[in-house]
Each structure stands twice: as structure tokens, then as C-alpha cells.
Amino acid sequence: MNNASHRQSVPLDKAYRLMNHGPTVLVSAAHGGQRNIMAAAWAMPLDFAPPKVAVVLDKSTWTRVLLEGAGSFALQVPTRAQLDLTEALGNSSGREIVDATGHDKFAAYGLETFEGTATGAPLLEGCAAWLECRLLPEAHIQDRYDLFLGEVIAAQADARVFANGRWNFDGHDELRTLHHVAGGHFIVDGEAVDARPLARRA
């Protein structure tokens, strides 16, 4: 699904809000003429200014190799409409697909992408948000904990569900974000509510 007419730039000081609700993300990277995309359930915002994110990438993943080579990557926030695709991207090896077919995951699954504004990482159409990141190399935590840090240098979101720094999925159920539990089981983002000030009793 091409949602180019709905994409809007997001101010970098609000970029953390694209992930602050803890969604599953898709991680993409490209290097040396090769590209890959995978699902990651462990990702989070880290800072406001400059905005930073963290994502866990196992040593066995090809995306990790491409990310380290490129020094950049992208995080995409997939939607309810992309549930089956998200599960497939998280349970298939891009390297094995290329070795077996000569095609990458994008071709194997017929994925439509668009070019970002700040990195060479392919961005997947149809997502609710996209964060392009510059890798902040930290060899120790990458090697020991599989934890990668990135500075968000460009961010976009679907204006139908993210505006004025807030998510609002009313009327757009297929664009609700996914939250992985385990074994192909996901929770879909629900109702948005605002807290009210609570008076102290003492």
C-alpha cells in the first residue's frame, strides 16, 4: 500500500514519540549493493535531543552485517494490515533467501519501498512511521549485548494517525501498530486516553 500522499515530516524533537508506545519495528539496512529487512520486538527511544533509539539485533542476522557496514539503518513501524508480513519478515533469513533464489526479501515478498531523505536504507511502504538513523558505534555493547544505538536524523509518519506529536488511530484500524508478545502472537494498539492531574491527599 502506497501512502505517499499521507506521509509528513516529523520534527526531530518529536521523533521519539513514533516509538514511545513500544511497537514492534522493522529494521532495514543496505550496504555494498545488498539490502535486507527484519522484524525486531526489542526497540525503544533513548533521548530527546538529539533523538536516539536502541534496537537489539542478534549476531546471526544479515541486517546487522549490512547495518554495521553502512553505518546507518532505518526503523519502520508496521501496521495491523502488515501483521502477516511482519511475522514473515521476522521468521525468514534474507541471506538464505538470496542464496536460494538470487532475490532479496524485498523481491521475495513483493515489497514496495521508497527512498528516504537521509540514509541509503530502503523504507517500506504502508507503515505508520519511519525513522532513519545514523549508527552510534559502541563495539562493547554491540558485541556483548547485541544492542545497537542510533541517532534519528530523519523521521516521517502517516498523517492520518500521527499529528501534532500524538498517535490517534480512530477510524484507521488497519493502521494500528503491532506489539509482539511471543510465537506469532501480537497485540494491536488500542484506545488512546489522556491522564488527568491527580490531587494529593496530604
PDB file of all heavy atoms in Angstrom, residues 1 9 16 31 41 52 65 79 81 84 87 92 131 133 139 144 148 151 159 162 164 171 173 176:
ATOM      1  N   MET A   1       0.849  -1.196   0.000  1.00  0.00           N
ATOM      2  CA  MET A   1       0.000   0.000   0.000  1.00  0.00           C
ATOM      3  C   MET A   1       0.883   1.244   0.000  1.00  0.00           C
ATOM      4  O   MET A   1       1.697   1.424   0.888  1.00  0.00           O
ATOM      5  CB  MET A   1      -0.886  -0.002   1.246  1.00  0.00           C
ATOM      6  CG  MET A   1      -1.792   1.207   1.330  1.00  0.00           C
ATOM      7  SD  MET A   1      -2.822   1.220   2.809  1.00  0.00           S
ATOM      8  CE  MET A   1      -1.643   1.702   4.045  1.00  0.00           C
ATOM      9  N   SER A   9       6.731  14.964   7.287  1.00  0.00           N
ATOM     10  CA  SER A   9       7.942  15.025   8.085  1.00  0.00           C
ATOM     11  C   SER A   9       7.559  15.256   9.539  1.00  0.00           C
ATOM     12  O   SER A   9       6.572  15.932   9.840  1.00  0.00           O
ATOM     13  CB  SER A   9       8.848  16.162   7.600  1.00  0.00           C
ATOM     14  OG  SER A   9       9.366  15.850   6.329  1.00  0.00           O
ATOM     15  N   TYR A  16      10.887  10.667  18.923  1.00  0.00           N
ATOM     16  CA  TYR A  16      10.813   9.586  19.906  1.00  0.00           C
ATOM     17  C   TYR A  16       9.381   9.111  20.119  1.00  0.00           C
ATOM     18  O   TYR A  16       9.133   7.942  20.464  1.00  0.00           O
ATOM     19  CB  TYR A  16      11.428  10.030  21.246  1.00  0.00           C
ATOM     20  CG  TYR A  16      10.548  10.926  22.073  1.00  0.00           C
ATOM     21  CD1 TYR A  16       9.737  10.405  23.080  1.00  0.00           C
ATOM     22  CD2 TYR A  16      10.499  12.302  21.829  1.00  0.00           C
ATOM     23  CE1 TYR A  16       8.918  11.232  23.826  1.00  0.00           C
ATOM     24  CE2 TYR A  16       9.677  13.122  22.578  1.00  0.00           C
ATOM     25  CZ  TYR A  16       8.893  12.589  23.576  1.00  0.00           C
ATOM     26  OH  TYR A  16       8.066  13.403  24.308  1.00  0.00           O
ATOM     27  N   HIS A  31      23.887  -2.076   2.101  1.00  0.00           N
ATOM     28  CA  HIS A  31      25.336  -1.853   2.015  1.00  0.00           C
ATOM     29  C   HIS A  31      25.899  -2.723   0.901  1.00  0.00           C
ATOM     30  O   HIS A  31      25.491  -3.875   0.739  1.00  0.00           O
ATOM     31  CB  HIS A  31      26.013  -2.203   3.345  1.00  0.00           C
ATOM     32  CG  HIS A  31      27.487  -2.011   3.344  1.00  0.00           C
ATOM     33  ND1 HIS A  31      28.066  -0.758   3.214  1.00  0.00           N
ATOM     34  CD2 HIS A  31      28.508  -2.895   3.436  1.00  0.00           C
ATOM     35  CE1 HIS A  31      29.386  -0.886   3.241  1.00  0.00           C
ATOM     36  NE2 HIS A  31      29.674  -2.176   3.374  1.00  0.00           N
ATOM     37  N   ALA A  41      11.389  -6.989  17.979  1.00  0.00           N
ATOM     38  CA  ALA A  41      10.430  -6.640  19.027  1.00  0.00           C
ATOM     39  C   ALA A  41      11.062  -5.787  20.112  1.00  0.00           C
ATOM     40  O   ALA A  41      10.358  -5.113  20.857  1.00  0.00           O
ATOM     41  CB  ALA A  41       9.843  -7.911  19.645  1.00  0.00           C
ATOM     42  N   LYS A  52      17.584   9.655  19.978  1.00  0.00           N
ATOM     43  CA  LYS A  52      18.329   8.407  19.836  1.00  0.00           C
ATOM     44  C   LYS A  52      17.392   7.237  20.079  1.00  0.00           C
ATOM     45  O   LYS A  52      16.399   7.356  20.798  1.00  0.00           O
ATOM     46  CB  LYS A  52      19.495   8.352  20.831  1.00  0.00           C
ATOM     47  CG  LYS A  52      20.514   9.446  20.658  1.00  0.00           C
ATOM     48  CD  LYS A  52      21.630   9.317  21.702  1.00  0.00           C
ATOM     49  CE  LYS A  52      22.543  10.508  21.706  1.00  0.00           C
ATOM     50  NZ  LYS A  52      21.908  11.699  22.297  1.00  0.00           N
ATOM     51  N   VAL A  65      24.800  -7.214   9.772  1.00  0.00           N
ATOM     52  CA  VAL A  65      26.017  -7.095   8.964  1.00  0.00           C
ATOM     53  C   VAL A  65      25.931  -5.874   8.051  1.00  0.00           C
ATOM     54  O   VAL A  65      26.873  -5.083   7.938  1.00  0.00           O
ATOM     55  CB  VAL A  65      26.242  -8.375   8.125  1.00  0.00           C
ATOM     56  CG1 VAL A  65      27.417  -8.201   7.162  1.00  0.00           C
ATOM     57  CG2 VAL A  65      26.474  -9.575   9.038  1.00  0.00           C
ATOM     58  N   THR A  79       2.007  -1.888  10.553  1.00  0.00           N
ATOM     59  CA  THR A  79       0.602  -1.713  10.917  1.00  0.00           C
ATOM     60  C   THR A  79      -0.146  -3.038  10.992  1.00  0.00           C
ATOM     61  O   THR A  79       0.349  -4.087  10.577  1.00  0.00           O
ATOM     62  CB  THR A  79      -0.104  -0.828   9.881  1.00  0.00           C
ATOM     63  OG1 THR A  79      -0.171  -1.556   8.644  1.00  0.00           O
ATOM     64  CG2 THR A  79       0.638   0.481   9.667  1.00  0.00           C
ATOM     65  N   ALA A  81      -2.456  -3.986   9.152  1.00  0.00           N
ATOM     66  CA  ALA A  81      -2.587  -4.529   7.800  1.00  0.00           C
ATOM     67  C   ALA A  81      -1.343  -5.315   7.383  1.00  0.00           C
ATOM     68  O   ALA A  81      -1.401  -6.131   6.454  1.00  0.00           O
ATOM     69  CB  ALA A  81      -2.843  -3.396   6.805  1.00  0.00           C
ATOM     70  N   ASP A  84       0.754 -10.224   8.920  1.00  0.00           N
ATOM     71  CA  ASP A  84       1.333 -11.452   8.370  1.00  0.00           C
ATOM     72  C   ASP A  84       2.710 -11.190   7.779  1.00  0.00           C
ATOM     73  O   ASP A  84       3.621 -12.010   7.915  1.00  0.00           O
ATOM     74  CB  ASP A  84       0.410 -12.045   7.305  1.00  0.00           C
ATOM     75  CG  ASP A  84      -0.928 -12.507   7.891  1.00  0.00           C
ATOM     76  OD1 ASP A  84      -1.012 -12.723   9.117  1.00  0.00           O
ATOM     77  OD2 ASP A  84      -1.893 -12.640   7.110  1.00  0.00           O
ATOM     78  N   GLU A  87       5.319 -10.898  10.613  1.00  0.00           N
ATOM     79  CA  GLU A  87       5.697 -12.224  11.108  1.00  0.00           C
ATOM     80  C   GLU A  87       6.627 -12.927  10.121  1.00  0.00           C
ATOM     81  O   GLU A  87       7.620 -13.545  10.512  1.00  0.00           O
ATOM     82  CB  GLU A  87       4.431 -13.057  11.350  1.00  0.00           C
ATOM     83  CG  GLU A  87       4.691 -14.471  11.828  1.00  0.00           C
ATOM     84  CD  GLU A  87       5.242 -14.565  13.234  1.00  0.00           C
ATOM     85  OE1 GLU A  87       5.373 -13.537  13.928  1.00  0.00           O
ATOM     86  OE2 GLU A  87       5.554 -15.698  13.652  1.00  0.00           O
ATOM     87  N   SER A  92      12.175 -15.246   8.603  1.00  0.00           N
ATOM     88  CA  SER A  92      12.874 -15.678   7.388  1.00  0.00           C
ATOM     89  C   SER A  92      14.236 -15.007   7.350  1.00  0.00           C
ATOM     90  O   SER A  92      14.413 -13.909   7.864  1.00  0.00           O
ATOM     91  CB  SER A  92      12.062 -15.318   6.135  1.00  0.00           C
ATOM     92  OG  SER A  92      11.832 -13.919   6.056  1.00  0.00           O
ATOM     93  N   LEU A 131      11.855   5.925  10.780  1.00  0.00           N
ATOM     94  CA  LEU A 131      12.927   6.676  11.428  1.00  0.00           C
ATOM     95  C   LEU A 131      14.246   6.268  10.775  1.00  0.00           C
ATOM     96  O   LEU A 131      14.621   5.092  10.820  1.00  0.00           O
ATOM     97  CB  LEU A 131      12.982   6.379  12.925  1.00  0.00           C
ATOM     98  CG  LEU A 131      11.727   6.722  13.738  1.00  0.00           C
ATOM     99  CD1 LEU A 131      10.820   5.498  13.871  1.00  0.00           C
ATOM    100  CD2 LEU A 131      12.104   7.221  15.116  1.00  0.00           C
ATOM    101  N   CYS A 133      18.248   6.413  10.768  1.00  0.00           N
ATOM    102  CA  CYS A 133      19.195   6.543  11.871  1.00  0.00           C
ATOM    103  C   CYS A 133      20.644   6.415  11.410  1.00  0.00           C
ATOM    104  O   CYS A 133      20.961   5.602  10.542  1.00  0.00           O
ATOM    105  CB  CYS A 133      18.933   5.463  12.907  1.00  0.00           C
ATOM    106  SG  CYS A 133      17.228   5.446  13.521  1.00  0.00           S
ATOM    107  N   ALA A 139      31.118  -0.682  20.179  1.00  0.00           N
ATOM    108  CA  ALA A 139      31.521  -2.076  19.938  1.00  0.00           C
ATOM    109  C   ALA A 139      31.249  -2.980  21.129  1.00  0.00           C
ATOM    110  O   ALA A 139      30.799  -4.126  20.971  1.00  0.00           O
ATOM    111  CB  ALA A 139      32.992  -2.125  19.547  1.00  0.00           C
ATOM    112  N   ARG A 144      28.654  -7.621  23.121  1.00  0.00           N
ATOM    113  CA  ARG A 144      28.242  -8.346  24.325  1.00  0.00           C
ATOM    114  C   ARG A 144      26.736  -8.498  24.460  1.00  0.00           C
ATOM    115  O   ARG A 144      26.233  -9.547  24.867  1.00  0.00           O
ATOM    116  CB  ARG A 144      28.799  -7.642  25.555  1.00  0.00           C
ATOM    117  CG  ARG A 144      28.475  -8.378  26.835  1.00  0.00           C
ATOM    118  CD  ARG A 144      29.357  -7.985  27.969  1.00  0.00           C
ATOM    119  NE  ARG A 144      29.071  -8.807  29.140  1.00  0.00           N
ATOM    120  CZ  ARG A 144      29.809  -8.803  30.220  1.00  0.00           C
ATOM    121  NH1 ARG A 144      30.874  -8.053  30.298  1.00  0.00           N
ATOM    122  NH2 ARG A 144      29.477  -9.557  31.241  1.00  0.00           N
ATOM    123  N   PHE A 148      22.226  -2.086  19.614  1.00  0.00           N
ATOM    124  CA  PHE A 148      22.693  -1.067  18.680  1.00  0.00           C
ATOM    125  C   PHE A 148      21.995   0.257  18.973  1.00  0.00           C
ATOM    126  O   PHE A 148      20.782   0.297  19.173  1.00  0.00           O
ATOM    127  CB  PHE A 148      22.413  -1.510  17.242  1.00  0.00           C
ATOM    128  CG  PHE A 148      23.325  -2.605  16.783  1.00  0.00           C
ATOM    129  CD1 PHE A 148      23.103  -3.913  17.196  1.00  0.00           C
ATOM    130  CD2 PHE A 148      24.414  -2.334  15.978  1.00  0.00           C
ATOM    131  CE1 PHE A 148      23.963  -4.928  16.805  1.00  0.00           C
ATOM    132  CE2 PHE A 148      25.279  -3.341  15.587  1.00  0.00           C
ATOM    133  CZ  PHE A 148      25.053  -4.641  15.998  1.00  0.00           C
ATOM    134  N   GLU A 151      21.252   7.499  16.157  1.00  0.00           N
ATOM    135  CA  GLU A 151      20.716   8.850  16.240  1.00  0.00           C
ATOM    136  C   GLU A 151      19.728   9.035  15.111  1.00  0.00           C
ATOM    137  O   GLU A 151      20.057   8.800  13.938  1.00  0.00           O
ATOM    138  CB  GLU A 151      21.824   9.890  16.136  1.00  0.00           C
ATOM    139  CG  GLU A 151      21.301  11.311  16.178  1.00  0.00           C
ATOM    140  CD  GLU A 151      22.376  12.359  15.983  1.00  0.00           C
ATOM    141  OE1 GLU A 151      23.575  12.026  16.126  1.00  0.00           O
ATOM    142  OE2 GLU A 151      22.017  13.517  15.686  1.00  0.00           O
ATOM    143  N   ALA A 159       0.215  10.885   8.368  1.00  0.00           N
ATOM    144  CA  ALA A 159      -0.517  11.983   8.996  1.00  0.00           C
ATOM    145  C   ALA A 159      -1.943  11.596   9.392  1.00  0.00           C
ATOM    146  O   ALA A 159      -2.577  12.282  10.194  1.00  0.00           O
ATOM    147  CB  ALA A 159      -0.560  13.192   8.052  1.00  0.00           C
ATOM    148  N   PHE A 162      -0.785  10.056  12.981  1.00  0.00           N
ATOM    149  CA  PHE A 162       0.171  10.753  13.846  1.00  0.00           C
ATOM    150  C   PHE A 162       0.191  12.218  13.448  1.00  0.00           C
ATOM    151  O   PHE A 162       0.575  12.570  12.329  1.00  0.00           O
ATOM    152  CB  PHE A 162       1.575  10.155  13.711  1.00  0.00           C
ATOM    153  CG  PHE A 162       2.548  10.717  14.721  1.00  0.00           C
ATOM    154  CD1 PHE A 162       2.626  10.185  15.995  1.00  0.00           C
ATOM    155  CD2 PHE A 162       3.364  11.790  14.404  1.00  0.00           C
ATOM    156  CE1 PHE A 162       3.512  10.696  16.936  1.00  0.00           C
ATOM    157  CE2 PHE A 162       4.255  12.316  15.338  1.00  0.00           C
ATOM    158  CZ  PHE A 162       4.327  11.769  16.605  1.00  0.00           C
ATOM    159  N   ASN A 164       0.556  16.404  15.305  1.00  0.00           N
ATOM    160  CA  ASN A 164       0.803  17.237  16.478  1.00  0.00           C
ATOM    161  C   ASN A 164       1.482  16.466  17.606  1.00  0.00           C
ATOM    162  O   ASN A 164       1.189  16.660  18.786  1.00  0.00           O
ATOM    163  CB  ASN A 164      -0.504  17.868  16.972  1.00  0.00           C
ATOM    164  CG  ASN A 164      -1.172  18.708  15.913  1.00  0.00           C
ATOM    165  OD1 ASN A 164      -0.519  19.493  15.225  1.00  0.00           O
ATOM    166  ND2 ASN A 164      -2.476  18.533  15.749  1.00  0.00           N
ATOM    167  N   GLY A 171     -10.777   5.514  13.465  1.00  0.00           N
ATOM    168  CA  GLY A 171     -11.186   5.455  12.070  1.00  0.00           C
ATOM    169  C   GLY A 171     -10.161   4.835  11.143  1.00  0.00           C
ATOM    170  O   GLY A 171     -10.385   4.756   9.938  1.00  0.00           O
ATOM    171  N   ASP A 173      -8.325   1.546  11.739  1.00  0.00           N
ATOM    172  CA  ASP A 173      -7.943   0.335  12.457  1.00  0.00           C
ATOM    173  C   ASP A 173      -6.821  -0.430  11.770  1.00  0.00           C
ATOM    174  O   ASP A 173      -5.985  -1.047  12.443  1.00  0.00           O
ATOM    175  CB  ASP A 173      -9.154  -0.577  12.649  1.00  0.00           C
ATOM    176  CG  ASP A 173     -10.103  -0.053  13.714  1.00  0.00           C
ATOM    177  OD1 ASP A 173      -9.703   0.832  14.495  1.00  0.00           O
ATOM    178  OD2 ASP A 173     -11.255  -0.515  13.756  1.00  0.00           O
ATOM    179  N   ARG A 176      -3.319   0.621  12.889  1.00  0.00           N
ATOM    180  CA  ARG A 176      -2.889   0.470  14.277  1.00  0.00           C
ATOM    181  C   ARG A 176      -1.576  -0.310  14.335  1.00  0.00           C
ATOM    182  O   ARG A 176      -1.332  -1.197  13.530  1.00  0.00           O
ATOM    183  CB  ARG A 176      -3.967  -0.238  15.104  1.00  0.00           C
ATOM    184  CG  ARG A 176      -5.200   0.624  15.308  1.00  0.00           C
ATOM    185  CD  ARG A 176      -6.241  -0.086  16.168  1.00  0.00           C
ATOM    186  NE  ARG A 176      -7.441   0.741  16.300  1.00  0.00           N
ATOM    187  CZ  ARG A 176      -7.605   1.697  17.200  1.00  0.00           C
ATOM    188  NH1 ARG A 176      -6.645   1.947  18.068  1.00  0.00           N
ATOM    189  NH2 ARG A 176      -8.717   2.391  17.235  1.00  0.00           N
TER     190      ARG A 176
END
